[in-house]
Amino acid sequence: MAAARALATLLALAAAGSALADEPRLKPVRIVSRVRQEAPDPGAGVEALGQSAAPLSFDYEPLDWWSDWFNPIKPEAGKKQKTTIHVSNHGDTAVPKGTILSIWANRTTPAKCGETGDVDYKLPELLPFQTKAIKASWQMPDTPGEAQVRVFLDSACTVFSGSADYVQQSFTTTVVEAGSKYVYLQLAILNPGSLWRLLVVN
Ligand SMILES: *[C@@H]1O[C@H](CO)[C@@H](O)[C@H](O)[C@H]1NC(C)=O
């Protein structure tokens, strides 16, 4: 009986979820940067690296990043929003420490190489195929309204000259009045495992 009720609740949630799909403000805020060039043939990058005079310059983007959910999902005016950003090196060469990760709380236009963010994090060394988690936070504007949080990995472009195009991304969030209460409905993807867990809990 409890199980049947739980299932009915799930179905109701699923219906609510599909109705919400048209609501632009409720775009998922977990962002994944996956615009990537083709990696060159094995060996090509290594050869180019040997000839490079720059501190470290790949001829393809070796970095990638993704984030956890931004928290809170609708930040309050003048308060902080935070997340964990996972930075990954897919290249076959270590990326030395000091790569800069820049974040702007509200920037609508793309940033160029060398610009600094509202906050800038210096990353630790990243060995080939290593991923590191960076806890990041930034202060939202003092006024409510829409804001575009922008994340730019390798903003000094010391690792790759094209990082502004390949590992920079923004997402839209809504800054609410300080002290606002709101409900955010999130529908988990239902696979047999998660459905089973939900039924047990109920
Ligand atoms: C974010 O920046 C845009 C463009 O400058 C501006 O119109 C908007 O009001 C800003 N949003 C907030 C919440 O301050």
Side-chain angles (χ1 to χ4, degrees), residues 78 133 184:
Y184 185 86

Side-chain angles (χ1 to χ4, degrees), residues 106 108 141 143-147 175:
N106 182 26
T108 51
T143 47
E146 230 173 57
V175 179

Side-chain angles (χ1 to χ4, degrees), residues 77 105-109 140-148 173-176:
N106 182 26
R107 179 175 174 137
T108 51
T109 53
M140 296 311 297
D142 291 330
T143 47
E146 230 173 57
Q148 264 189 42
T173 190
T174 304
V175 179
V176 297

Side-chain angles (χ1 to χ4, degrees), residues 56-124:
L56 181 73
S57 182
F58 286 80
D59 59 2
Y60 62 98
E61 178 66 67
L63 298 173
D64 200 1
W65 67 271
W66 64 96
S67 79
D68 291 348
W69 300 101
F70 284 18
N71 181 26
I73 219 145
K74 292 187 183 188
E76 294 180 30
K79 299 270 179 67
K80 288 200 164 169
Q81 192 176 40
K82 61 184 179 181
T83 193
T84 299
I85 295 185
H86 306 269
V87 177
S88 189
N89 173 14
H90 296 303
D92 53 9
T93 306
V95 171
K97 69 174 187 314
T99 303
I100 299 173
L101 169 72
S102 297
I103 301 172
W104 291 262
N106 182 26
R107 179 175 174 137
T108 51
T109 53
K112 294 194 185 73
C113 289
E115 292 194 60
T116 50
D118 295 343
V119 291
D120 299 287
Y121 293 91
K122 281 203 172 162
L123 304 183

Side-chain angles (χ1 to χ4, degrees), residues 1-10 196 198-200 202:
M1 206 46 214
R5 250 202 321 277
L7 188 57
T9 311
L10 275 175
W196 172 244
L198 280 167
L199 290 173
V200 169
N202 279 283

